């Protein structure tokens, strides 16, 4: 396969994903990049930790990363349910993929913290401001998620009696 063919395939796949995911495209790409970097730095840091490397732990780590992707899919499903429900009541929502984006950004922040911890274990000096900065971003995302959660408090849980009787 030539370089031009490889470039064409990459551009085609990227274009299809971009058109499918819309605003979720960049967070998903960043999340996958962080997953890969975290896994690689975790492997590099393992000899400097007491636990070491095993195939079980490696497979568990991969399953955890795939589960993170599925968590974003769950967020996207919730977004689609919100979109459908709002259309039923003729309410225009000013966003698409809000929940999925918040989930992806939260995962990215956690992965960045893990990457920085791995780097410290490897022996890399990281700037003093970096870890607090990422933790601050994560706390801001937690605040957004809490606000979303509070706005949904009036939504009855499944199995809750919603009748006025």
């Amino acid at each position: 396969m030539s370089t031009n063919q490889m470039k064409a395939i990459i551009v085609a796949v990227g274009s299809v994903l971009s058109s499918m995911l819309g605003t979720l495209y960049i967070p998903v790409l960043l999340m996958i990049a962080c997953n890969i970097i975290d896994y690689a730095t975790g492997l590099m840091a393992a000899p400097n930790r007491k636990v070491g490397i095993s195939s079980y732990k490696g497979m568990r780590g991969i399953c955890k990363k795939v589960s993170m992707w599925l968590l974003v899919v769950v967020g996207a499903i919730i977004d689609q349910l919100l979109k459908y429900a709002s259309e039923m009541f003729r309410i225009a929502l000013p966003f698409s993929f809000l929940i999925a984006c918040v989930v992806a950004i939260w995962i990215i922040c956690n992965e960045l913290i893990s990457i920085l911890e791995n780097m410290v274990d490897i022996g890399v000096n990281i700037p003093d401001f970096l870890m607090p900065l990422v933790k601050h971003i994560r706390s801001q995302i937690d605040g957004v998620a809490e606000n979303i959660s509070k706005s949904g408090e009036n939504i009855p849980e499944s199995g809750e009696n919603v009748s006025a009787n």
Side-chain angles (χ1 to χ4, degrees):
M1 182 176 290
S2 73
T3 305
N4 286 338
Q5 288 173 324
M6 187 62 116
K7 287 179 186 178
I9 291 170
I10 292 170
V11 168
V13 169
S15 297
V16 168
L17 288 175
S18 177
S19 69
M20 287 173 49
L21 297 176
T23 59
L24 195 54
Y25 181 64
I26 297 298
V28 166
L29 284 182
L30 292 174
M31 184 184 68
I32 292 171
C34 286
N35 286 156
I36 293 167
I37 294 167
D38 181 48
Y39 190 80
T41 57
L43 289 175
M44 289 187 274
N48 300 328
R49 297 177 176 154
K50 295 177 183 176
V51 289
I53 300 173
S54 73
S55 59
Y56 171 76
K57 289 178 187 173
M59 191 54 144
R60 188 170 164 231
I62 291 170
C63 288
K64 186 177 174 184
K65 303 299 182 199
V66 170
S67 295
M68 290 176 186
W69 302 346
L70 294 175
L71 197 57
V72 174
V73 171
V74 168
I77 290 169
I78 292 169
D79 285 324
Q80 292 305 307
L81 285 172
L82 289 172
K83 180 181 174 186
Y84 176 76
S86 68
E87 287 173 358
M88 294 297 294
F89 295 108
R90 295 189 174 111
I91 299 170
L93 294 179
F95 57 81
S96 63
F97 293 124
L98 173 67
I99 306 298
C101 280
V102 169
V103 170
I105 293 168
W106 184 82
I107 289 170
I108 291 166
C109 289
N110 283 332
E111 290 290 88
L112 290 173
I113 291 167
S114 179
I115 290 166
L116 293 174
E117 289 169 349
N118 291 341
M119 297 259 184
V120 167
D121 287 350
I122 292 168
V124 175
N125 291 328
I126 62 170
D128 291 337
F129 69 88
L130 208 48
M131 185 70 79
L133 176 67
V134 175
K135 287 184 178 182
H136 177 71
I137 294 169
R138 183 179 66 181
S139 72
Q140 295 300 308
I141 296 301
D142 285 341
V144 169
E146 188 174 319
N147 287 337
I148 292 170
S149 166
K150 284 181 182 177
S151 69
E153 285 179 353
N154 296 330
I155 300 170
E157 299 277 334
S158 66
E160 239 182 73
N161 187 355
V162 294
S163 67
N165 297 341

